[in-house]
Amino acid sequence: MTFPVSRFTKVLALGATLTLSLAACAGESSSADAEATSQDVRVWFMKDSVPESAATWLEEEFEAQNPGSDMTVEVQQWNGIVQKLQTSLASEDESPDIVEVGNTQVATFSSVGAFAPIGDLEEELGGEDLIQSFIDAGSWDGELYAAPFYAGARVIFYRTDLFEQAGIAVPRTIEELGEAAKALQAANPEGVPDFSGMYLAGADPHTNEGWLFTYGGQYAEQEGDQWVGRLSTPESLAALREVQDLYQNATKYALDSNENAQVAYELFNQGKVGIYSSLNYAVGKIDQALWDAGKVGVMPLPGLEPGSLGKTFSGGSSIGISANNHNQELSEAALKLMYSEEFQSELASGAGWIPGNTAYASALTGPTADISQDVIQNSELTPNSPQWGVVDGNNVPRDFWVRIARGEDVTTVAAETDATLEEQLNG
C-alpha cells in the first residue's frame, strides 16, 4: 500500500480553527529513515473498548509473529480525545501508529489526511462481512481510511413483571412503545416514588435519535456541496413531538444530566424505571437477580409498522493507521491481527460488542445476541461530515434535545437548530 510522500498542512475546524500538519511515512529526511526502521508499534484503544485479555493476546501474538518487534497498547479516555488526537497525529514523534476513534469522528481526521488509506486491506479485514454503515463513515473521497472496529446495538430493556401487573402488552410499534411507557408511569404498579415509565433524557441524544431516524428524520443532509438542516421536515417534527410527549408524560428524568444518563441502569435495577434503552452490553449492568427471576425482557426499538425495526444510532468505533505511523508494514500486520477470528471473537464474547467483521458475531452470547446484528444492520449514523466534530464538540445535538425536554416550541427549536447546523457544517 502506498500513499503520498509529501508533507502537507490542512485546516481542521473544531470549535476553533486549528492547523493540523501531517507527514507521510516515506521521504528523504532522517526522520523518515528512522520511522522506516522502527520496530515498535503503538496502539491507542479507548477506555472500556477492548477486554484486557484481548489486548494482552494482541501484544503477545504480534510480537511472536514479528520477532524483534514490540507492541504497546495504550488506553485513552473518551473525554477530550479529539483535541488530543489533533496534537498527536500531527507529530511524527508523538503519533500513535494505530488509532481507535468513534465512528462519527473519522471524517474529521480522514478528510485532512491524518489517516493512511487502507482500501487495499479491506478484503483481508473482512470484505462484505464488515459493517457497511461503518465502511461508509470510514471512507472519504472514495478511499477507505478507517475500518469498522466494533458496534453496540441500542436495544430496549423492559420489566416484564411491571408490564404484567399493569396489564400492558409488549409494544409492536414505536407508537405503541410510547403509549406503553405513558400507561406504565400512570399505573406505577408497585407504588414506587417518582416512578418513570421509561428513562428518557435530553442529555442522551443517541437514545432520542431512535425516534428521529425511525420517523424518517435526520439532523442534516447534503445537497450538492452544501449541508441543509432537516429538523424542520414533517418527518422530523413528527418524531420531535412524540419525544416531547414522552418527556412530559412518560419520564421523570427528561432534564437529567449526561452523567446520570450513563448510570440509568441503576434506576432500572431499583424498580424506578420500567423501560430502559441502552447498548446491548448493558446486559451485564442489570442485576442478575432480575434476569434469574424472569423479570427482564429485551426487544429492538420497534418501527412504524408491527413487525418492523426502528432505526437507532449506530454507535461504535472505527480503527485506522496514522499517516505519521512509524512502520507501515508492521502497522498493517497489527491491523490484520485485530481482524483475526481470535481477536474479533473476544470483542464479542468478552466485551459484548458486535465485531466489525460480523462473520464472528456468532461469538455473541446472552439475551441480546439474537437481535443485535439485525439492529446494527438497520441502524443509522449522524451526518458524515468532517465538521460534525465541530457540531458535536459544541454540544449542538445535546442542547437541541434538552430544549425539547424543557418544553420549548418544537417548530421554533427545530428551525433555529437547522440554522446552526447549516452554519457549522458549511463553515
Side-chain angles (χ1 to χ4, degrees), residues 85-106:
L85 284 171
Q86 284 178 305
T87 302
S88 300
L89 291 176
S91 168
E92 291 181 342
D93 294 328
E94 298 300 324
S95 176
D97 299 292
I98 297 179
V99 186
E100 174 192 346
V101 294
N103 57 358
T104 62
Q105 299 168 345
V106 177

Side-chain angles (χ1 to χ4, degrees), residues 58-78:
L58 181 66
E59 290 176 327
E60 294 176 350
E61 187 67 18
F62 174 82
E63 292 169 5
Q65 292 188 17
N66 300 276
S69 300
D70 295 316
M71 173 184 284
T72 302
V73 171
E74 300 172 2
V75 177
Q76 306 297 322
Q77 301 295 318
W78 282 106

Side-chain angles (χ1 to χ4, degrees), residues 249-424:
N249 300 298
T251 188
K252 303 287 187 180
Y253 300 98
L255 297 178
D256 226 3
S257 68
N258 180 64
E259 290 74 18
N260 286 342
Q262 302 308 308
V263 293
Y265 59 86
E266 294 177 352
L267 298 171
F268 187 84
N269 288 336
Q270 295 163 9
K272 295 181 178 180
V273 166
I275 301 172
Y276 169 52
S277 172
S278 186
L279 295 177
N280 58 301
Y281 72 77
V283 166
K285 303 287 188 180
I286 295 174
D287 282 349
Q288 188 60 44
L290 292 175
W291 292 110
D292 293 343
K295 293 182 178 181
V296 183
V298 180
M299 62 183 291
L301 180 73
L304 297 177
E305 301 296 331
S308 66
L309 290 180
K311 288 184 174 292
T312 57
F313 172 75
S314 181
S317 282
S318 299
I319 196 159
I321 298 174
S322 166
N324 269 329
N325 75 82
H326 302 98
N327 189 307
Q328 182 74 13
E329 184 177 353
L330 287 176
S331 295
E332 291 183 7
L335 191 64
K336 292 175 187 177
L337 264 183
M338 294 176 195
Y339 284 83
S340 65
E341 181 175 1
E342 292 87 346
F343 189 85
Q344 290 276 296
S345 295
E346 184 64 16
L347 287 179
S349 62
W353 298 120
I354 299 162
N357 184 342
T358 60
Y360 305 126
S362 59
L364 285 166
T365 60
T368 64
D370 290 341
I371 63 174
S372 290
Q373 285 193 72
D374 291 337
V375 169
I376 284 298
Q377 289 171 355
N378 202 51
S379 61
E380 190 160 337
L381 289 172
T382 49
N384 188 27
S385 162
Q387 295 299 104
W388 189 255
V390 179
V391 172
D392 208 25
N394 290 337
N395 292 316
V396 174
R398 184 200 65 186
D399 293 346
F400 165 72
W401 290 106
V402 168
R403 291 181 67 185
I404 301 296
R406 286 175 177 159
E408 294 186 38
D409 179 69
V410 166
T411 303
T412 300
V413 175
E416 292 177 356
T417 306
D418 275 342
T420 299
L421 289 169
E422 290 173 3
E423 177 184 2
Q424 297 190 14

